[in-house]
């Protein structure tokens, strides 16, 4: 039931949303009715990977379809090179109106000039005090996106509505919620932020994940990242946490996710009320995931599953059949701009590594990608320290530039919690060599300078 008319395209981005934090994915400790409805109306991908588990590199990839090392954006606070087109440029050339509302962060979070987001009209709004919190800035972001949706429209559009939450969990971890969480949930904030007794109506806290403890053999590089002391070092605050504090963190994170879901719901409601729902392709995703206590990890900047996997939902009532959750295909954030360009009737430059998802959306039996790659640059003060991830259908290979045991290999079919590092087992030597060679081939083809340690 494919429509011939090119759709409007609404790309909704959040920041730091682990795909396990969705009620439609079976999580009973979070309620996401708006994202659940979006997923039920189209297709969502269970195995979607970011290009980097940190904001600026990941966002630059979604905008351009290129890997962070190709852009020279391996850490935060870097800009897209002037000679690199964005998906906004591509669809504008194809006759679309391209607009952006909300967080950009490549490198400025909220540029204050209409032409500062390459390829897009920056939909400006008055910045609230405390703009660095989603609790403050996501509502005006939604207001501005809704104003755009209500039109008028003389041509099809690509609108990005980019929200800050659930990123506020970073500040909860560092200041234990004294300011951030109290703003959204004043009745619970004092309990979650310290040793005070829970209120009489306190809900059940989420349990610790089954893979809360470290894998049997963890690379020394990961241990270095646990004690970096700067640049995304929220994990430093967790070293003295007890089990109750970890569970309070999970509860707080789910509330920030629900805040995002409600904000997304406002935008989707405006789309429906404006009569544009059937004619609009909606994509929901985010820059990277969140540790959610797996392997005692919080926030980002690591290659374990929860920091690198992202939700990816695609819905177009007039053009995409309802397929539910796709657990078969491996997809990359690079595929998002390629998919947008495809549905807009154009294509990304040949230098881009993305593959349009349209093929596997319309034909679920199509093979799709052989693998996806994620890059890690955990320390701007030690740029020689790097990590790489290669995910195939069954296995996940992690390689690091420094330290003992620089390789980790997991059989995600038999060990989805990443508890047994097969890289140190002779029985998995064949798979280890195969994945190492695949990564080496990708490095050579993409011009990456990563070198395996050891």
């Amino acid at each position: 039931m494919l429509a011939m008319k090119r759709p409007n395209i609404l790309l909704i981005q959040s920041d730091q949303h682990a795909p396990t934090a969705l009620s439609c994915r079976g999580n009973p400790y979070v309620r996401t009715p708006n994202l659940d409805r979006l997923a039920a109306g189209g297709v969502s991908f269970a195995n979607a990977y970011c290009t980097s588990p940190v904001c600026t590199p990941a966002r630059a990839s979604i905008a351009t379809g290129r890997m962070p090392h190709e852009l020279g954006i391996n850490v935060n606070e870097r800009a897209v090179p002037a000679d690199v087109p964005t998906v906004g440029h591509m669809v504008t050339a194809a006759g679309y109106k391209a607009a952006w509302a909300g967080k950009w962060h490549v490198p400025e979070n909220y540029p204050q000039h209409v032409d500062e987001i390459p390829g897009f009209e920056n939909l400006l709004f008055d910045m609230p005090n405390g703009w660095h919190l989603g609790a403050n800035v996501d509502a005006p972001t939604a207001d501005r996106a809704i104003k755009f949706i209500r039109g008028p429209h003389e041509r099809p559009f690509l609108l990005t509505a980019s929200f800050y939450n659930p990123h506020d969990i970073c500040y909860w971890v560092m200041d234990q919620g004294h300011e951030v969480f109290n703003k959204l949930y004043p009745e619970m904030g004092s309990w979650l932020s310290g040793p005070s007794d829970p209120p009489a109506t306190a809900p059940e806290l989420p349990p610790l994940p089954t893979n809360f403890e470290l894998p049997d053999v963890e690379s020394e590089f990961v241990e270095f990242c646990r004690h970096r002391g700067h640049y995304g070092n929220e994990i430093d605050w967790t070293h003295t946490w007890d089990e109750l504090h970890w569970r309070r963190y999970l509860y707080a994170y789910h509330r920030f996710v629900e805040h995002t879901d409600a904000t997304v719901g406002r935008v989707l409601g405006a789309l429906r009320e404006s009569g544009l729902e059937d004619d609009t392709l909606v994509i929901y995703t985010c820059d990277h995931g969140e540790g959610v206590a797996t392997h005692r990890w919080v926030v980002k900047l690591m290659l374990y599953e929860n920091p690198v996997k992202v939700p990816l939902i695609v819905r177009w009532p007039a053009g995409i059949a309802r397929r539910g959750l796709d657990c078969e295909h491996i997809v990359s954030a690079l595929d998002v701009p390629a998919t947008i360009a495809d549905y807009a009737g154009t294509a990304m430059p040949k230098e881009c590594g993305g593959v349009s998802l349209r093929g596997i959306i319309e034909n679920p039996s199509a093979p799709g990608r052989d693998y996806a790659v994620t890059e890690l640059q955990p320390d701007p003060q030690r740029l020689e320290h790097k990590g790489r991830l290669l995910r195939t259908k069954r296995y996940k290979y992690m390689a690091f530039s420094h330290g003992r045991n620089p390789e980790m290999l997991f059989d995600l079919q038999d060990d989805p919690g990443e508890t047994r590092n097969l890289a140190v087992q002779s029985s998995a030597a064949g798979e280890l060599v195969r994945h190492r060679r695949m990564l080496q081939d990708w490095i050579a083809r993409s011009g990456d300078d990563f070198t395996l340690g050891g």
Side-chain angles (χ1 to χ4, degrees):
M1 62 175 192
L2 296 178
M4 298 304 294
K5 181 181 177 181
R6 294 185 300 171
N8 302 311
I9 302 169
L10 171 60
L11 172 62
I12 304 176
Q13 286 187 193
S14 61
D15 192 318
Q16 213 157 303
H17 187 179
T20 53
L22 288 165
S23 46
C24 63
R25 295 288 293 274
N27 188 332
Y29 298 98
V30 64
R31 295 181 180 87
T32 52
N34 297 294
L35 291 171
D36 293 353
R37 282 192 291 269
L38 187 69
V43 57
S44 55
F45 294 92
N47 295 309
Y49 287 81
C50 67
T51 62
S52 174
V54 68
C55 295
T56 298
R59 289 170 176 271
S61 290
I62 294 173
T64 66
R66 302 195 190 187
M67 292 297 292
H69 80 268
E70 296 174 310
L71 296 167
I73 304 178
N74 300 306
V75 295
N76 284 339
E77 313 309 328
R78 305 278 176 89
V80 174
D83 61 344
V84 175
T86 67
V87 66
H89 291 114
M90 296 301 102
V91 302
T92 298
Y96 273 65
K97 167 75 171 180
W100 191 286
K103 187 175 181 180
W104 170 240
H105 202 185
V106 192
E108 295 85 6
N109 277 290
Y110 293 90
Q112 290 301 294
H113 295 90
V114 70
D115 59 351
E116 278 192 278
I117 298 180
F120 294 86
E121 177 187 344
N122 183 15
L123 302 178
L124 300 173
F125 54 88
D126 292 333
M127 294 301 297
N129 293 328
W131 59 264
H132 63 288
L133 299 178
N136 296 327
V137 80
D138 282 353
T141 296
D143 292 341
R144 191 62 185 88
I146 289 168
K147 181 179 179 180
F148 178 89
I149 287 170
R150 289 173 175 164
H153 303 289
E154 298 179 353
R155 49 185 168 144
F157 62 78
L158 165 61
L159 169 65
T160 298
S162 182
F163 299 111
Y164 214 124
N165 259 329
H167 182 277
D168 284 357
I169 192 62
C170 293
Y171 304 102
W172 189 94
V173 168
M174 291 188 290
D175 69 12
Q176 302 180 4
H178 293 160
E179 297 179 6
V180 182
F181 196 85
N182 292 5
K183 181 177 180 64
L184 295 178
Y185 302 96
E187 73 283 6
M188 299 296 295
S190 61
W191 171 53
L192 285 174
S193 64
S196 59
D197 292 333
T201 57
E204 180 184 4
L205 295 176
L208 295 179
T210 56
N211 58 345
F212 174 68
E213 299 299 340
L214 276 55
D216 56 356
V217 179
E218 187 176 65
S219 294
E220 186 181 33
F221 188 96
V222 182
E223 177 63 15
F224 158 75
C225 293
R226 293 183 186 277
H227 300 278
R228 185 171 43 247
H230 57 275
Y231 186 67
N233 60 318
E234 289 89 345
I235 199 167
D236 285 349
W237 272 260
T238 72
H239 296 319
T240 59
W241 283 9
D242 59 13
E243 177 179 335
L244 179 59
H245 205 136
W246 278 101
R247 294 177 66 192
R248 286 172 167 174
Y249 146 73
L250 290 173
Y251 179 88
Y253 179 67
H254 289 151
R255 304 292 78 76
F256 291 129
V257 170
E258 290 175 350
H259 177 259
T260 300
D261 181 79
T263 309
V264 170
R266 291 184 56 214
V267 175
L268 294 177
L271 190 72
R272 182 173 57 253
E273 294 160 6
S274 299
L276 298 175
E277 185 174 64
D278 287 346
D279 299 324
T280 302
L281 173 74
V282 178
I283 300 175
Y284 174 78
T285 192
C286 70
D287 48 4
H288 52 77
E290 158 68 40
V292 290
T294 55
H295 304 311
R296 294 178 176 266
W297 201 269
V298 295
V299 194
K300 51 233 177 193
L301 284 166
M302 188 39 61
L303 298 178
Y304 288 127
E305 285 287 89
N306 279 303
V308 296
K309 290 181 83 169
V310 294
L312 179 53
I313 303 170
V314 184
R315 186 196 72 184
W316 179 20
I320 293 176
R322 298 182 179 185
R323 281 192 35 222
L325 186 64
D326 182 321
C327 298
E328 295 300 315
H329 294 97
I330 306 297
V331 299
S332 167
L334 294 178
D335 303 335
V336 172
T339 302
I340 291 171
D342 189 357
Y343 279 104
T346 185
M348 299 297 289
K350 59 181 177 58
E351 296 85 0
C352 299
V355 178
S356 173
L357 299 175
R358 190 170 188 169
I360 58 177
I361 288 173
E362 296 178 358
N363 179 15
S365 62
R369 285 178 165 273
D370 293 329
Y371 58 81
V373 174
T374 300
E375 303 179 9
L376 173 66
Q377 190 95 44
D379 190 345
Q381 297 181 16
R382 305 179 75 173
L383 293 177
E384 71 278 9
H385 281 208
K386 302 176 183 179
R388 296 292 183 264
L389 175 161
L390 185 139
R391 168 68 200 274
T392 57
K393 185 171 183 179
R394 178 167 180 170
Y395 293 93
K396 174 179 173 181
Y397 172 64
M398 296 157 60
F400 300 103
S401 60
H402 292 77
R404 295 186 303 273
N405 297 314
E407 295 174 293
M408 302 179 76
L409 179 70
F410 298 104
D411 181 344
L412 295 183
Q413 176 176 295
D414 293 344
D415 180 27
E418 303 174 286
T419 63
R420 300 185 299 276
N421 180 8
L422 302 181
V424 298
Q425 298 185 14
S426 59
S427 60
E431 287 296 343
L432 179 63
V433 170
R434 184 171 76 91
H435 283 75
R436 185 189 297 150
R437 287 176 176 168
M438 278 191 286
L439 181 61
Q440 289 170 344
D441 288 346
W442 178 87
I443 286 170
R445 284 185 284 105
S446 70
D448 190 9
D449 64 356
F450 174 80
T451 301
L452 177 66

